[in-house]
């Protein structure tokens, strides 16, 4: 909402001149620009390799838990108390391990994302500065922030990605 207010304020200050006539306006999806870089693709590949084992184990545990649940539902009434108790204990242990794996995977994803963003932020700023200078851009808007326009806005996302790839 603040961006819309800012744009309206700029238009009002320009005394009725259209924003497109007074300034070069462009849009950028900075998330896409970052995620399409070679570095992002490399780090995602490394992350997939890192969490592949835990993900497979978690998937197998999930299937085992479903099988245990079905067995309890189908045969629980005819099982002895000790059998039922042993099955419940096994299920609790598997569920605990499943939750540990999910947490481990989530933490690995978060660490990877934070490390990537920390390293990419200064490069993104540098790439954006180059694009602004190259195209003489006066107003750069997040592509997701544009609600409506009848103007033909230049999208510099791909160019930012290209520059980022040369900075890596």
């Amino acid at each position: 909402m603040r961006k819309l207010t800012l744009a309206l304020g700029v238009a009002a200050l320009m005394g009725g001149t259209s924003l497109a006539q007074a300034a070069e306006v462009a849009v950028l999806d900075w998330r896409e620009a970052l995620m399409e870089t070679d570095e992002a693709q490399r780090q995602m590949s490394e992350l997939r390799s890192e969490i592949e084992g835990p993900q497979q184990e978690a998937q197998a545990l999930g299937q085992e838990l479903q099988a245990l649940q079905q067995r309890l539902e189908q045969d629980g009434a005819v099982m002895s108390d000790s059998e039922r108790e042993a099955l419940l204990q096994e299920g609790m242990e598997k569920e605990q391990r499943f939750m540990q794996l999910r947490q481990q995977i989530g933490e690995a994803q978060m660490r990877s994302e934070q490390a990537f963003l920390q390293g990419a932020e200064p490069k993104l700023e540098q790439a954006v500065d180059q694009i602004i200078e190259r195209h003489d851009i006066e107003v750069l808007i997040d592509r997701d922030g544009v609600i409506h326009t009848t103007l033909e806005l230049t999208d510099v996302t791909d160019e930012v990605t290209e520059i980022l790839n040369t900075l890596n």
Side-chain angles (χ1 to χ4, degrees):
M1 198 48 125
R2 195 165 71 174
K3 291 177 186 177
L4 181 60
T5 304
L6 178 63
L8 292 174
V10 169
L13 287 174
M14 293 169 32
T17 329
S18 81
L19 189 59
Q21 291 172 336
E24 176 64 35
V25 181
V27 293
L28 167 67
D29 184 335
W30 63 271
R31 293 163 209 80
E32 180 182 317
L34 283 175
M35 295 311 295
E36 294 298 320
T37 62
D38 297 338
E39 178 67 15
Q41 298 302 315
R42 185 188 62 75
Q43 284 197 8
M44 285 193 312
S45 178
E46 286 177 7
L47 176 62
R48 279 192 293 274
S49 295
E50 179 185 338
I51 64 175
E52 182 179 18
Q55 277 185 324
Q56 288 176 348
E57 185 181 348
Q59 186 177 16
L61 280 171
Q63 292 170 350
E64 291 173 22
L65 283 166
Q66 282 182 331
L68 284 174
Q69 180 68 30
Q70 287 175 347
R71 185 168 173 217
L72 275 171
E73 288 173 4
Q74 292 173 355
D75 302 334
V78 295
M79 287 181 178
S80 68
D81 288 344
S82 62
E83 277 182 306
R84 193 171 28 261
E85 188 63 36
L87 210 54
L88 287 171
Q89 181 65 32
E90 181 184 352
M92 287 177 19
E93 290 170 4
K94 287 181 187 277
E95 186 173 358
Q96 185 178 22
R97 177 63 182 151
F98 179 80
M99 297 304 286
Q100 288 172 343
L101 288 167
R102 285 181 47 141
Q103 182 177 355
Q104 179 184 348
I105 291 166
E107 288 172 356
Q109 289 172 325
M110 190 180 309
R111 275 191 314 272
S112 178
E113 183 178 310
Q114 286 174 346
F116 172 72
L117 289 176
Q118 185 176 12
E121 186 176 352
K123 293 175 185 176
L124 177 63
E125 288 178 19
Q126 186 178 353
V128 168
D129 288 344
Q130 287 182 29
I131 291 295
I132 288 171
E133 188 174 319
R134 180 183 299 165
H135 294 285
D136 197 27
I137 296 171
E138 296 178 50
V139 179
L140 183 61
I141 303 169
D142 187 319
R143 187 166 62 194
D144 292 337
V146 177
I147 297 171
H148 171 76
T149 183
T150 58
L151 303 174
E152 180 90 18
L153 300 177
T154 304
D155 188 335
V156 295
T157 303
D158 291 339
E159 274 187 85
V160 170
T161 299
E162 290 173 20
I163 292 171
L164 287 168
N165 282 331
T166 65
L167 298 176
N168 289 327

